[in-house]
Amino acid sequence: MGRPPKISPDQIISAARGLIQEHGTQLLSVDALATSLGVKAPSLYKHFPNKAAILRAVEDSLFLELGDVLSEAMATTKGDRIAAGCNAYRQFAKDHQRLYPLLFTSRPDDEEAIRVRLTAAQPLIKEFSAFGETAALKKARVITAFVHGFVSMELSGAFHLGDGVEQAFEEGVDQLSKTLTSPER
Amino acid sequence: MGRPPKISPDQIISAARGLIQEHGTQLLSVDALATSLGVKAPSLYKHFPNKAAILRAVEDSLFLELGDVLSEAMATTKGDRIAAGCNAYRQFAKDHQRLYPLLFTSRPDDEEAIRVRLTAAQPLIKEFSAFGETAALKKARVITAFVHGFVSMELSGAFHLGDGVEQAFEEGVDQLSKTLTSPER
DNA sequence: GTCTATAGCTAGATAGAC
DNA sequence: GTCTATCTAGCTATAGAC
């Protein structure tokens, strides 16, 4: 009869997220992760087959949370829902500076990975659904590309001059939101 | 009297670029780099203090090349210079799939790093100079964010559904180029 | 400036007892 | 399911001869 489990997969994912957010993905070792959970490294291999699987689970949990954050923000705003979604996305990225890049490093390699990503994007695609499925996807891609690109540059320090960063974000969101929601030419 | 040098810093950078583009940054080891140049690992330390310095030099060389590509494309086009720059940027990223992410991973940490980045962005900023320095910078940030975000998502496989990716890029570039070049409200 | 040799470290993962 | 112990593998970087 085995011992009662001291840790669960969810606890492992949560602890991994904490360590990555604190020290960066590069510095996450299986040993450090186990120690932070009060357990030895080999124990983790009873819950995940290897380190890659843990990182993958972290990735999925991030996409799920992002989807929730977006749909919540867009559902509750009294103003422009697109802008609300963009602002929430940016805030999510800033709240998860070191975790955020994980969302765009590994290529989705199975059906489940694609499903998770699509679910996260759903609130935005739905916003454009009046234009038809193809156009909605296209519009969602355009606005997502801008917002992701902006926060990606922001987080990596590409906007080194500082001044005017807020205005640039607002202008981009404003103009894209405006042109994307107006009827097709 | 020492032996004649078999390798130069430029050769090291070039070889490093080749290996990264082939196998990815993670798999670039000092030993593999040296071997590909026909020397032993310790020799590289006569040209660069450590591995980080080599990667930094690779990064700088990429920014320089990107700046050249942009200014060349924008200078020679007969159509929309903004669109030409965006297309050239995207092509550059596709031609350097594994190298491109390097441009947005490390934070610029000294004056030279910032200078290199600003130089690469100059062709685009210049395009908006008629609006004044502040507005030009803002507009350049908006269009760069979109293009970077788009290719970043493209390279990471975020557009898994495939169809309509070209149209999404064209639409984004088209609409941003149009609104950014029209007079401020 | 290149070489041989090696230090010194860190990492992911497994075997087998309990 | 957790533990101790260990394996294997890889890496950056340095010392010192030529």
Side-chain angles (χ1 to χ4, degrees):
Chain A
M1 35 194 86
R3 306 187 183 173
K6 297 213 304 200
I7 54 174
S8 70
D10 278 352
Q11 281 177 301
I12 296 176
I13 294 169
S14 167
R17 284 180 55 150
L19 287 180
I20 292 173
Q21 180 56 28
E22 201 173 348
H23 303 114
T25 308
Q26 299 286 357
L27 287 157
L28 178 74
S29 69
V30 176
D31 194 68
L33 177 55
T35 301
S36 86
L37 286 159
V39 133
K40 303 296 178 180
S43 305
L44 300 184
Y45 289 85
K46 294 291 176 179
H47 302 276
F48 291 95
N50 50 44
K51 185 187 179 183
I54 298 176
L55 284 175
R56 162 63 187 277
V58 167
E59 215 178 292
D60 287 357
S61 86
L62 272 177
F63 271 115
L64 287 181
E65 185 181 337
L66 175 58
D68 288 346
V69 164
L70 289 186
S71 76
E72 167 76 9
M74 294 175 69
T76 59
T77 185
K78 285 164 183 154
D80 181 350
R81 279 195 299 278
I82 308 276
C86 292
N87 288 328
Y89 186 108
R90 184 172 175 223
Q91 190 58 49
F92 178 86
K94 286 189 175 179
D95 290 342
H96 304 83
Q97 292 207 33
R98 294 220 165 81
L99 285 160
Y100 177 77
L102 272 183
L103 301 185
F104 295 98
T105 38
S106 81
R107 298 181 70 87
D109 51 359
D110 55 34
E111 281 301 320
E112 175 63 9
I114 293 178
R115 203 189 60 76
V116 165
R117 283 159 174 78
L118 264 182
T119 303
Q122 214 50 50
L124 215 40
I125 298 175
K126 215 175 61 185
E127 190 62 29
F128 297 115
S129 57
F131 295 93
E133 206 175 314
T134 309
L137 185 59
K138 182 177 68 179
K139 287 165 184 290
R141 279 169 169 164
V142 171
I143 191 78
T144 305
F146 171 74
V147 179
H148 159 60
F150 198 95
V151 303
S152 163
M153 294 181 71
E154 209 174 2
L155 293 183
S156 77
F159 295 148
H160 21 78
L161 292 189
D163 262 12
V165 172
E166 296 302 320
Q167 290 94 318
F169 186 73
E170 281 166 27
E171 171 154 342
V173 169
D174 189 53
Q175 299 196 344
L176 283 178
S177 147
K178 217 174 279 173
T179 55
L180 291 175
T181 51
S182 71
E184 296 268 343
R185 294 140 296 164
Chain B
M1 37 195 83
R3 305 188 181 170
K6 296 213 303 202
I7 54 175
S8 70
D10 277 353
Q11 282 177 300
I12 297 176
I13 294 170
S14 167
R17 285 180 55 148
L19 286 180
I20 292 173
Q21 178 57 28
E22 200 174 347
H23 303 114
T25 309
Q26 300 286 358
L27 286 158
L28 178 75
S29 69
V30 176
D31 194 67
L33 177 55
T35 301
S36 86
L37 286 158
V39 296
K40 302 296 177 178
S43 304
L44 299 185
Y45 289 84
K46 294 290 177 181
H47 302 276
F48 291 95
N50 49 45
K51 187 186 177 182
I54 298 175
L55 284 176
R56 163 63 187 274
V58 167
E59 215 179 291
D60 286 358
S61 86
L62 273 177
F63 271 115
L64 288 180
E65 184 180 337
L66 174 57
D68 288 347
V69 165
L70 288 186
S71 78
E72 167 74 11
M74 294 174 70
T76 58
T77 185
K78 285 164 183 155
D80 181 349
R81 278 194 300 278
I82 308 275
C86 292
N87 289 329
Y89 186 109
R90 184 172 175 224
Q91 190 57 49
F92 178 85
K94 286 189 175 178
D95 289 342
H96 303 83
Q97 292 207 35
R98 293 220 166 80
L99 284 161
Y100 177 77
L102 272 183
L103 300 185
F104 295 98
T105 38
S106 80
R107 299 181 69 85
D109 52 357
D110 55 34
E111 281 302 318
E112 176 64 8
I114 293 179
R115 202 189 62 73
V116 165
R117 283 160 174 78
L118 265 181
T119 304
Q122 214 51 49
L124 215 40
I125 298 176
K126 215 175 63 186
E127 190 61 29
F128 297 116
S129 58
F131 294 93
E133 206 174 315
T134 309
L137 185 58
K138 181 177 67 177
K139 287 164 184 290
R141 279 169 171 165
V142 171
I143 191 79
T144 306
F146 171 74
V147 179
H148 160 61
F150 198 96
V151 302
S152 163
M153 294 182 69
E154 210 174 2
L155 293 183
S156 76
F159 295 148
H160 20 79
L161 292 187
D163 261 13
V165 173
E166 295 302 320
Q167 290 93 318
F169 186 74
E170 280 165 27
E171 171 155 341
V173 168
D174 190 52
Q175 299 196 342
L176 283 178
S177 148
K178 217 173 279 173
T179 55
L180 292 175
T181 51
S182 72
E184 295 267 344
R185 292 140 298 161

